[in-house]
Amino acid sequence: GKQIFSSKTEYRISALKFHPTESNVFICGGFSPEVKAWDLRTSKVLRVYKAAVQQTLDILFLPEGREFLTSTDAVSRDSADRTIVAWDFQSAAKVSNQIFHERYTCPSLTLHPKESVFVAQTNGNYMALFSALRPYRIKKKKRYEGHKVEGFAVGCEFSPDGTLLVTGSSDGKVFLYNYHTSRIIRTLSAHKEACVSAIFHPVLPSLLATCDWAGEIKIWQ
């Protein structure tokens, strides 16, 4: 294949997401106080989002792509502001930085496929549920816990029909939760190393892919 985009950044990239409706645009961030939107057609930066943090952990576009969220490493003993930041995509304005008030970083974010909610994986060893509409309030009655994160960038994802929530675990297991009840439905002893990602097949709902910290990938049915 032919390379269609090339650009060097002054920092190491750890998160990259394509815009849900503008296929030539993506946002990337990493070990930098800034997040940047790029255009594949020109290989140039479209917009810069200045977060005043050290690292962006994950990026999540909200429905239609008018706004997006970044999770960051900005947690201190006194304040948890800027842990999750909401941005206006077009203006680069910060919409909110008072979304998650627990003093845990959130290594990954995932959007529900049908409802206006998103989940944040937290280093408090639980996943928190939020409204995907302003003011993005946390839903305190639902909390998905039982797995372990322990500083790993453990990913989480909803099933295509939105009924299940899957996550890896630092002990190598995979946990499947009922989205509505937040109860654990099943666990899989998937890997010897920390399981950092578990993803449903987009078309075949019975297939699940997992990978671990050492790079091993498994397909489950």
Side-chain angles (χ1 to χ4, degrees):
K2 186 175 71 172
Q3 180 176 296
I4 61 170
F5 176 87
S6 178
S7 180
K8 288 186 178 181
T9 62
E10 63 278 11
Y11 58 87
R12 186 153 59 94
I13 294 171
S14 59
L16 187 153
K17 293 290 173 66
F18 275 90
H19 193 282
T21 60
E22 298 182 38
S23 59
N24 289 300
V25 175
F26 67 88
I27 288 180
C28 69
F31 292 82
S32 167
E34 297 178 342
V35 171
K36 295 180 179 180
W38 294 81
D39 192 323
L40 285 173
R41 294 160 293 191
T42 62
S43 296
K44 291 182 179 179
V45 175
L46 283 176
R47 244 162 258 114
V48 177
Y49 308 84
K50 297 184 178 181
V53 298
Q54 291 183 318
Q55 183 186 359
T56 296
L57 305 176
D58 199 9
I59 299 165
L60 180 70
F61 275 103
L62 296 177
E64 300 178 10
R66 295 192 187 99
E67 295 177 0
F68 68 93
L69 306 171
T70 57
S71 60
T72 79
D73 66 346
V75 176
S76 68
R77 184 180 300 175
D78 303 317
S79 174
D81 70 328
R82 294 175 292 145
T83 302
I84 299 176
V85 182
W87 302 89
D88 183 278
F89 174 71
Q90 290 293 345
S91 69
K94 195 180 291 181
V95 176
S96 176
N97 64 346
Q98 299 290 327
I99 298 172
F100 184 50
H101 298 288
E102 297 290 323
R103 294 189 182 112
Y104 299 114
T105 53
C106 300
S108 62
L109 307 169
T110 187
L111 188 68
H112 194 279
K114 296 180 179 180
E115 297 182 21
S116 296
V117 295
F118 71 91
V119 158
Q121 181 79 268
T122 81
N123 272 304
N125 295 328
Y126 68 90
M127 291 178 286
L129 184 68
F130 298 83
S131 169
L133 304 173
R134 296 189 194 184
Y136 318 108
R137 286 200 177 95
I138 191 169
K139 297 180 181 292
K140 294 182 179 180
K141 291 183 180 180
K142 281 188 185 178
R143 196 156 123 159
Y144 306 85
E145 51 192 347
H147 63 292
K148 298 177 182 178
V149 183
E150 297 179 333
F152 288 93
V154 174
C156 56
E157 190 189 63
F158 285 102
S159 60
D161 65 1
T163 60
L164 300 176
L165 178 61
V166 66
T167 178
S169 182
S170 64
D171 58 8
K173 293 180 181 177
V174 173
F175 286 72
L176 291 110
Y177 293 85
N178 182 306
Y179 159 61
H180 294 288
T181 67
S182 69
R183 291 177 181 170
I184 297 169
I185 294 174
R186 190 174 178 188
T187 61
L188 303 171
S189 296
H191 300 275
K192 293 179 181 178
E193 301 286 336
C195 180
V196 293
S197 184
I199 298 175
F200 287 100
H201 193 285
V203 179
L204 304 172
S206 63
L207 289 184
L208 182 74
T210 65
C211 72
D212 71 5
W213 181 249
E216 181 181 63
I217 298 171
K218 291 184 178 180
I219 306 296
W220 301 79
Q221 187 165 27

